[in-house]
Amino acid sequence: MNNLASIESGLAELDMRAGATLTDRLFDALQRAIVEGEIPQGGKISEPELARRHGVSRSAVREAIARLEARKLVERKPNLGARVVVLSAEQLIEIFQLREALEGMAARLAAQAMSEAEIDALDALLAQHGRQIEQEQGQAYFQKQGDLDFHFRIVQGSQNRQLIGLLCDDLYHLLRMYRVQFGMRSKRCRQAFAEHQYLLSAIRARDPEMAELLMRQHVRASRRNLEQALG
Amino acid sequence: MNNLASIESGLAELDMRAGATLTDRLFDALQRAIVEGEIPQGGKISEPELARRHGVSRSAVREAIARLEARKLVERKPNLGARVVVLSAEQLIEIFQLREALEGMAARLAAQAMSEAEIDALDALLAQHGRQIEQEQGQAYFQKQGDLDFHFRIVQGSQNRQLIGLLCDDLYHLLRMYRVQFGMRSKRCRQAFAEHQYLLSAIRARDPEMAELLMRQHVRASRRNLEQALG
DNA sequence: TTCTCAAATTATGTCGACACTTTGGGTCTA
DNA sequence: TAGACCCAAAGTGTCGACATAATTTGAGAA
């Protein structure tokens, strides 16, 4: 048993999944705090403060911060410490250009590689989204969450581990952070829903070319929407 | 001045650029050692050994290893330590699928964003490659190196920082490692050279659509070549 | 000999301490 | 009052040490 870390109160909030090191749990907690906006954009990530708050040493905090940096959630400068990234409008646009390329490829591969069962599940997910939109109940949050879910599954369906890692481990966290911080509610959610359905049709038809085309147009439309909103 | 680290012999090989922390220099040295194949694929990255060899503490080594992990050059498992990644044939194929998507987008953006001067410089680079191929002197190494140079410049020309970071900071190091380790000499270097020229023409003509198409075909051809050689 | 299991050795995870850098505040001067 | 300078406080970079987990060694039994 470790000296005293495990009975410290600060760690109570952290999940205790087996085999996870202290740094792992710290990383999860910090990533959540950043993505959920508890630490604002540009906010300082202070090693001593976090160490105190969580009742651990600076070493563990430093390592967790290093992982956050690897995921582009914080930026670190020598002797100056780490701060939560600030996404400029330009960078957001650039990220959407990345998404267009990557998710386009993911859709192409998914059209070839997804199982019928996965496609059926995706169909069910879309049906649920449709109901939510009709009732206007889930609104922005659930719609955006649902949007990410949909894209998430397509990427998983590509069965390309590089793609999956890049998008699901890194980019999607950044996107979620951005969405929480900006509280952005898209006006084109009905349109987006329709585009999701077209895309699913192409995947069901096992048409990679069309799937990629539709996904790219879908992401591009989101980007244009964003450009207009941001200016 | 630091206690004694700076007069230790182990650090002599490390560059002393200003503002760089010990970890920075260690990271550079380790990355080079891995990419150049001095540490083989699957090789163990031992913290105590490296600390001894470079005359620094384990803390610095650990942080450098964390960065290597972020760049996908090593894999770390809790309580087991870090090992240089082993690229399976499948993963290599997956990486080329990534490249197809990313560099395709890069070419599209470069066709719009590159300056005339950059295009001229690229032209000069290609002319040089052409001479090297004629003389058959540079052979595999220089040809492959030249190939990466060409792609590198296109990516830079996209002026999309996300793309640049992803490809130039991460993926290209992985690729270089793979090439060094496999010592792979492509038989299609003349063909590749021709494809580079087509691509440059499309960029010069400011035709984004065509630039992306040509880049994707170029990368896809490399991938097919690879699949044949490996599969 | 070969297999098994426990002791010893080594490596990793985490901690606290110290040195150097940056920051913030206060003082002195023009 | 504004600005330069210095000093104290806080933060980061690096170190060595200890606790725990993994690995190796070697002794004994089948």
Side-chain angles (χ1 to χ4, degrees):
Chain A
M1 192 89 253
N2 206 339
N3 339 17
L4 56 126
S6 47
I7 58 173
E8 278 290 331
S9 60
L11 283 176
E13 54 182 294
L14 303 177
D15 74 318
M16 290 297 176
R17 99 191 102 89
T21 179
L22 228 192
T23 298
D24 290 334
R25 303 201 292 266
L26 261 177
F27 169 72
D28 287 347
L30 287 178
Q31 171 167 261
R32 202 192 51 72
I34 290 174
V35 170
E36 302 296 332
E38 288 170 22
I39 310 175
Q41 287 195 25
K44 182 108 209 316
I45 310 282
S46 164
E47 297 177 7
E49 184 200 327
L50 288 173
R52 271 194 305 277
R53 177 126 53 96
H54 294 264
V56 300
S57 81
R58 271 183 56 222
S59 308
V61 174
R62 270 179 79 82
E63 197 150 332
I65 292 178
R67 289 199 214 169
L68 292 174
E69 187 185 20
R71 292 208 171 172
K72 314 288 186 196
L73 286 172
V74 310
E75 280 175 352
R76 225 165 52 154
K77 290 178 184 169
N79 294 317
L80 292 182
R83 296 185 166 279
V84 177
V85 290
V86 179
L87 288 185
S88 69
E90 286 83 11
Q91 282 175 308
L92 219 44
I93 304 298
E94 290 181 355
I95 287 177
F96 271 74
Q97 287 173 331
L98 261 198
R99 283 188 67 193
E100 182 182 332
L102 291 173
E103 298 197 25
M105 176 59 76
R108 168 186 290 268
L109 296 175
Q112 301 171 265
M114 274 180 96
S115 70
E116 294 294 330
E118 285 174 312
I119 296 177
D120 289 341
L122 203 50
D123 211 333
L125 183 70
L126 271 194
Q128 184 193 335
H129 289 174
R131 286 192 296 277
Q132 283 183 345
I133 290 177
E134 271 181 36
Q135 307 174 227
E136 291 287 63
Q137 70 175 19
Q139 267 154 345
Y141 173 74
F142 284 116
Q143 286 164 23
K144 278 303 185 183
Q145 188 58 38
D147 180 72
L148 264 194
D149 283 351
F150 180 80
H151 286 257
F152 187 88
R153 293 206 195 186
I154 303 268
V155 173
Q156 297 284 338
S158 77
Q159 298 191 15
N160 179 315
R161 278 165 296 178
Q162 313 295 321
L163 262 174
I164 295 171
L166 205 56
L167 286 166
C168 300
D169 292 346
D170 296 355
L171 263 185
Y172 284 172
H173 290 292
L174 259 185
L175 273 186
R176 252 167 55 79
M177 180 182 90
Y178 147 73
R179 281 176 174 168
V180 171
Q181 307 264 334
F182 282 70
M184 196 144 205
R185 64 184 63 238
S186 161
K187 272 127 193 162
R188 58 184 291 282
C189 96
R190 279 195 162 73
Q191 177 62 27
F193 175 68
E195 289 167 3
H196 285 183
Q197 288 185 305
Y198 302 148
L199 179 51
L200 180 56
S201 302
I203 291 177
R204 200 178 271 292
R206 304 295 187 186
D207 185 340
E209 198 74 38
M210 182 59 77
E212 174 164 20
L213 187 81
L214 289 173
M215 178 61 100
R216 288 187 66 155
Q217 288 203 207
H218 175 55
V219 175
R220 205 177 309 163
S222 293
R223 172 165 61 80
R224 297 236 169 84
N225 192 51
L226 200 70
E227 286 171 347
Q228 201 171 12
L230 292 178
Chain B
M1 193 89 250
N2 206 340
N3 339 16
L4 55 127
S6 47
I7 58 172
E8 278 289 331
S9 60
L11 283 176
E13 53 180 297
L14 304 177
D15 74 318
M16 289 297 177
R17 97 189 104 88
T21 180
L22 228 192
T23 298
D24 290 333
R25 303 201 292 265
L26 261 177
F27 169 71
D28 288 346
L30 286 178
Q31 171 166 261
R32 202 192 50 72
I34 291 175
V35 169
E36 303 296 332
E38 288 171 23
I39 310 175
Q41 287 194 26
K44 181 115 207 323
I45 310 282
S46 164
E47 296 176 9
E49 184 200 326
L50 288 172
R52 271 194 306 276
R53 176 125 53 96
H54 293 261
V56 301
S57 81
R58 271 184 55 220
S59 308
V61 174
R62 271 179 78 83
E63 199 151 330
I65 291 178
R67 289 199 214 169
L68 292 173
E69 186 185 21
R71 291 207 172 172
K72 314 288 186 194
L73 286 172
V74 310
E75 281 174 351
R76 223 164 58 155
K77 290 177 184 170
N79 294 319
L80 291 183
R83 295 185 166 278
V84 177
V85 291
V86 179
L87 288 185
S88 69
E90 287 82 10
Q91 282 174 308
L92 218 44
I93 304 298
E94 290 182 355
I95 286 178
F96 270 74
Q97 287 173 331
L98 260 199
R99 283 188 67 192
E100 180 181 333
L102 291 173
E103 298 198 25
M105 177 58 76
R108 167 185 289 268
L109 296 175
Q112 301 171 271
M114 273 180 97
S115 70
E116 293 295 328
E118 286 174 312
I119 296 177
D120 289 342
L122 203 51
D123 211 332
L125 183 70
L126 271 194
Q128 184 192 335
H129 288 175
R131 285 193 296 276
Q132 283 184 346
I133 289 178
E134 270 182 37
Q135 307 173 226
E136 290 286 62
Q137 70 175 22
Q139 268 156 344
Y141 174 73
F142 284 116
Q143 286 162 22
K144 279 302 187 186
Q145 187 59 38
D147 180 72
L148 264 194
D149 283 350
F150 180 82
H151 286 257
F152 188 87
R153 294 208 197 185
I154 304 267
V155 173
Q156 297 285 337
S158 76
Q159 298 190 15
N160 179 314
R161 277 165 296 178
Q162 313 294 322
L163 262 175
I164 294 172
L166 204 56
L167 286 166
C168 300
D169 291 347
D170 295 355
L171 263 185
Y172 284 172
H173 290 291
L174 260 185
L175 273 186
R176 252 166 55 78
M177 180 182 91
Y178 147 73
R179 281 177 175 168
V180 171
Q181 307 262 335
F182 283 69
M184 197 144 206
R185 64 184 61 237
S186 162
K187 272 128 194 161
R188 59 183 291 283
C189 98
R190 280 194 160 73
Q191 176 62 26
F193 175 68
E195 290 167 3
H196 285 182
Q197 287 185 306
Y198 302 149
L199 179 52
L200 179 55
S201 302
I203 290 177
R204 199 178 271 292
R206 305 295 187 186
D207 185 338
E209 198 73 39
M210 182 59 76
E212 174 164 18
L213 187 81
L214 289 172
M215 179 62 99
R216 288 187 66 156
Q217 288 203 207
H218 175 56
V219 174
R220 206 177 309 164
S222 293
R223 172 165 61 79
R224 296 235 170 85
N225 192 51
L226 201 70
E227 285 171 345
Q228 201 171 12
L230 292 178

